[in-house]
């Protein structure tokens, strides 16, 4: 999907920012979060403009504007003829969970997600701005494009959920989501594979994501909460075919 051809904003009549500035905001935030999350190490060279433009599906001028902001903030520096590099020091990941080892661990991960992601979706419906809504919509569109090709994009799926926790404007939700990235990725990987074996499975899950986005876009907090609860519960039940373990055991 080419983001340069899309725009998004509130439905309250507020004047929209120029599309190029909005897209530069999105790319800036994505790269900034990647740096803060440790995805790029201190003094590491960032991908070139062409690569970043392809990764984020925007034009090179949009990437240049985003990189310019990061330089002004002191997060990256340019070296003539060599590209852009991450400045040290870089904030490390704030916390981490033990790796998944058992099916019970994965089911507990779903159980935990059900405690905070519906709440984050409800808050996102009332707190999100144009930028945050555009980020969620971008992830949804990537998933829609993949669904049309009969495939599942786990990266876009995770980014969709992460963008919602960001839109909730509560750093504890976003931090929890980032710390669970590897754990959630396992569930999304197996869930995505299972969807491709069920007729209409990919379309059904896309509809679930679209319902979450629609409620957030309309500012419907309780609908967003319920849509997220239904989606995560459905994802868990589809993956395990309704066979849930007794998690009261310490084993």
């Amino acid at each position: 999907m080419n983001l340069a051809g899309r725009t998004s904003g509130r439905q309250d009549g507020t004047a929209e920012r120029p599309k190029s500035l909005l897209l530069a905001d999105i790319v800036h935030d994505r790269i900034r979060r990647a740096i803060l999350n440790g995805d790029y190490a201190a003094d590491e060279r960032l991908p070139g403009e062409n690569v970043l433009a392809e990764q984020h599906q925007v034009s090179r001028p949009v990437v240049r504007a985003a990189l310019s902001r990061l330089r002004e903030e002191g997060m990256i520096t340019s070296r003539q003829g060599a590209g852009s590099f991450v400045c040290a020091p870089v904030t490390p990941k704030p916390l981490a969970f033990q790796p998944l080892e058992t099916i019970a661990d994965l089911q507990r991960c779903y159980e935990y997600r059900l405690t905070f992601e519906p709440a984050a979706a409800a808050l996102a419906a009332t707190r999100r701005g144009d930028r945050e809504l555009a980020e969620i919509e971008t992830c949804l569109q990537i998933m829609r494009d993949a669904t049309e090709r009969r495939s599942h994009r786990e990266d876009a799926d995770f980014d969709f959920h992460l963008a919602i926790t960001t839109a909730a404007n509560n750093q504890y939700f976003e931090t929890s989501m980032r710390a669970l990235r590897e754990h959630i990725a396992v569930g999304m990987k197996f869930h995505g594979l299972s969807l491709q074996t069920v007729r209409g499975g990919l379309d059904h899950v896309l509809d679930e994501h679209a319902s979450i986005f629609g409620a957030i876009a309309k500012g419907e907090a309780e609908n967003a909460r319920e849509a997220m609860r239904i989606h995560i519960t459905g994802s868990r039940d589809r993956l395990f075919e309704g066979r849930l373990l007794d998690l009261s055991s310490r084993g």
Side-chain angles (χ1 to χ4, degrees):
M1 179 190 67
N2 186 346
L3 292 185
R6 299 185 63 81
T7 184
S8 180
R10 290 188 181 277
Q11 304 301 316
D12 57 8
T14 303
E16 294 182 346
R17 300 181 66 199
K19 284 185 287 187
S20 60
L21 292 179
L22 178 60
L23 293 172
D25 286 342
I26 294 172
V27 175
H28 163 268
D29 284 352
R30 285 178 176 175
I31 298 175
R32 182 178 185 276
R33 288 200 300 267
I35 292 173
L36 291 176
N37 195 43
D39 296 342
Y40 295 113
D43 207 39
E44 180 178 349
R45 181 182 181 277
L46 293 180
E49 289 183 2
N50 286 334
V51 175
L52 288 172
E54 183 176 353
Q55 287 179 349
H56 299 283
Q57 299 183 324
V58 297
S59 64
R60 287 182 62 189
V62 167
V63 169
R64 282 195 290 270
L67 294 178
S68 177
R69 285 185 56 189
L70 290 167
R71 281 193 295 271
E72 291 172 0
E73 294 168 353
M75 299 201 69
I76 65 172
T77 184
S78 295
R79 300 177 187 173
Q80 188 170 5
S84 298
F85 292 78
V86 176
C87 294
V90 174
T91 303
K93 295 181 180 180
L95 63 89
F97 292 98
Q98 292 296 318
L100 285 175
E101 295 181 348
T102 66
I103 295 299
D105 287 344
L106 185 53
Q107 290 190 2
R108 286 187 175 100
C109 180
Y110 273 102
E111 184 176 69
Y112 179 56
R113 290 179 64 191
L114 280 165
T115 68
F116 78 91
E117 285 200 67
L123 289 174
T126 60
R127 295 178 178 176
R128 60 84 178 166
D130 291 349
R131 183 190 307 176
E132 292 78 18
L133 187 63
E135 174 76 1
I136 300 168
E137 185 179 22
T138 294
C139 299
L140 178 63
Q141 185 59 44
I142 293 173
M143 286 189 287
R144 180 174 289 114
D145 293 343
T147 298
E148 291 175 354
R149 298 192 301 272
R150 315 320 299 166
S151 65
H152 181 251
R153 286 282 299 270
E154 294 89 18
D155 56 343
D157 196 342
F158 178 83
D159 286 344
F160 176 88
H161 288 265
L162 177 63
I164 290 172
T165 62
T166 302
N169 196 30
N170 182 323
Q171 71 270 30
Y172 296 101
F173 288 132
E174 183 178 356
T175 298
S176 294
M177 198 70 190
R178 289 187 179 281
L180 285 168
R181 178 188 293 270
E182 298 303 320
H183 302 69
I184 292 174
V186 173
M188 288 182 171
K189 175 72 172 179
F190 288 116
H191 182 232
L193 291 173
S194 69
L195 291 175
Q196 297 182 54
T197 66
V198 178
R199 184 177 181 85
L202 289 167
D203 298 293
H204 180 72
V205 170
L206 179 65
D207 289 343
E208 289 180 352
H209 285 94
S211 294
I212 297 168
F213 171 75
I216 292 174
K218 295 174 183 176
E220 298 171 349
E222 291 310 310
N223 286 344
R225 185 195 307 274
E226 181 63 7
M228 181 64 81
R229 186 195 66 78
I230 289 172
H231 168 59
I232 296 177
T233 301
S235 173
R236 180 199 64 189
D237 292 347
R238 284 187 293 266
L239 177 58
F240 296 107
E241 298 180 338
R243 296 192 292 269
L244 301 181
L245 301 175
D246 178 4
L247 297 179
S248 61
S249 172
R250 296 291 179 182

